Amino acid sequence: MSGDEKTGRAVERVVLAQSTSDGAGVRLKRSLGSAALELLDPFLLLDEFGSDRKEDYLGGFPDHPHRGFETVTYMLEGKMEHRDHLGNHGLLDSGSVQWMSAGHGIIHSEMPKQEDGKMWGFQLWVNLPASDKMRPPRYQDIPPSAIAEVDLEGGHRVRVVAGTFRGVTGPVREIVTEPLYLDFHLHPGVPIEIPLPERHNAFCYCYEGDLTAGANGQKLHAGSFAVLGKGDRLAITALDRLSRCLVVAGKPIGEPVARYGPFVMNTREEIIQAIDDYRSGRLLL
Ligand code: MN
């Protein structure tokens, strides 16, 4: 076995996304953040929403709060409008990303800005350490044109949302967990190797096609969430058709996690405080 193979990450575990609904009846597939896998520090949840049936998404996500973590919305297709109680407002178009740090509190809505057609994308929840949970909210709204799309060997392509790949750095900056967020479009047959920070936890989520991932050649299909083991790189090969996957890594926080719905804190007392602050209108203060 060569040194390269020794440090290649293996797939430790595969969780299959389960159909569920959230918000006002939005159909989605949840992998991380389900009973099967509650946490992959610093990541708390991964939802894929994707449907061309308007009844699956039109309800959207009306006003709801968040405290203590970050929500990352990455749109593949469709339009989503975002509004919060501080007056922030934005349109998330196909190919855009919004990295929102809720900090001490945000109340917002995330609503489809389309009457028909396909709505497809992801929401990832990323935890914050205690030192950052009560900071003011912060947005990074990234238009599609600001996300570098890099052509690779074998006809592969990657969109670099956060972190650096092959010398290209994504537009999302200054996130405490130092995330890598890559969206790969892979043609069959030609393997690709992705360097990953050794101490980061990482996952690969296949959302189209079929591929093998990791030193152990684990097969992944659309809706497979693969938890990666230790190592400094990941090998992926698409099987017999164009396949697409997210590869995401982040620095683990290593603190206790207390979560209740849209609030993610360190202790139960802080959760009770968050609920109380929300009910009494003090979440935003
Ligand atoms: Mn939200």
Side-chain angles (χ1 to χ4, degrees):
M1 191 185 261
S2 78
D4 280 0
E5 281 159 351
K6 274 182 195 163
T7 52
R9 291 186 182 227
V11 173
E12 254 179 15
R13 198 176 155 194
V14 178
V15 173
L16 301 178
Q18 301 294 319
S19 291
T20 182
S21 72
D22 207 340
V26 178
R27 300 291 303 171
L28 46 83
K29 292 201 285 183
R30 181 164 294 165
S31 47
L32 180 62
S34 65
L37 182 62
E38 290 182 356
L39 176 73
L40 178 65
D41 186 11
F43 305 113
L44 300 156
L45 175 141
L46 181 69
D47 284 342
E48 176 184 355
F49 49 90
S51 180
D52 45 20
R53 290 160 28 105
K54 61 183 179 185
E55 56 270 34
D56 287 346
Y57 61 73
L58 271 186
F61 301 88
D63 281 351
H64 60 278
H66 292 291
R67 173 180 277 181
F69 65 104
E70 308 187 299
T71 67
V72 182
T73 308
Y74 178 45
M75 296 298 292
L76 296 176
E77 287 182 48
K79 288 179 170 51
M80 186 98 89
E81 188 174 45
H82 167 267
R83 266 175 207 283
D84 75 13
H85 281 210
L86 303 170
N88 295 302
H89 170 236
L91 183 67
L92 285 159
D93 213 340
S94 302
S96 68
V97 68
Q98 180 193 67
W99 202 293
M100 195 255 311
S101 301
H104 63 67
I106 199 86
I107 298 173
H108 73 167
S109 62
E110 298 156 282
M111 301 299 289
K113 193 69 178 168
Q114 62 189 54
E115 302 281 302
D116 51 35
K118 188 158 188 175
M119 169 77 87
W120 195 10
F122 305 94
Q123 190 164 86
L124 174 70
W125 288 11
V126 186
N127 206 0
L128 288 168
S131 55
D132 290 70
K133 282 185 181 297
M134 296 301 277
R135 283 180 189 266
R138 183 169 69 117
Y139 288 92
Q140 295 188 58
D141 280 314
I142 312 287
S145 59
I147 301 177
E149 218 167 273
V150 187
D151 289 318
L152 305 168
E153 66 274 20
H156 304 324
R157 274 189 312 130
V158 63
R159 302 189 82 222
V160 183
V161 174
T164 301
F165 180 75
R166 302 266 178 101
V168 175
T169 299
V172 175
R173 300 291 168 91
E174 292 173 19
I175 301 296
V176 66
T177 46
E178 299 167 18
L180 179 71
Y181 192 125
L182 304 171
D183 176 16
F184 284 97
H185 300 206
L186 303 173
H187 288 277
V190 180
I192 185 146
E193 197 168 75
I194 305 146
L196 296 172
E198 217 167 342
R199 296 181 186 283
H200 279 29
N201 283 332
F203 66 84
C204 173
Y205 181 78
C206 177
Y207 65 90
E208 190 168 277
D210 306 278
L211 44 89
T212 61
N216 51 342
Q218 174 71 50
K219 276 194 183 173
L220 303 179
H221 314 288
S224 301
F225 180 102
V227 178
L228 304 179
K230 291 191 191 319
D232 66 1
R233 66 199 64 192
L234 172 68
I236 302 181
T237 309
L239 295 174
D240 34 49
R241 55 197 169 117
L242 177 74
S243 300
R244 300 162 79 188
C245 65
L246 304 179
V247 174
V248 179
K251 191 169 75 178
I253 293 169
E255 294 177 2
V257 175
R259 63 199 281 182
Y260 178 77
F263 307 120
V264 184
M265 305 300 291
N266 295 107
T267 67
R268 190 170 172 271
E269 289 68 31
E270 290 166 343
I271 291 291
I272 292 166
Q273 184 68 52
I275 296 168
D276 191 50
D277 285 351
Y278 177 49
R279 286 190 181 146
S280 59
R282 282 180 284 122
L283 194 74
L284 306 178
L285 300 179

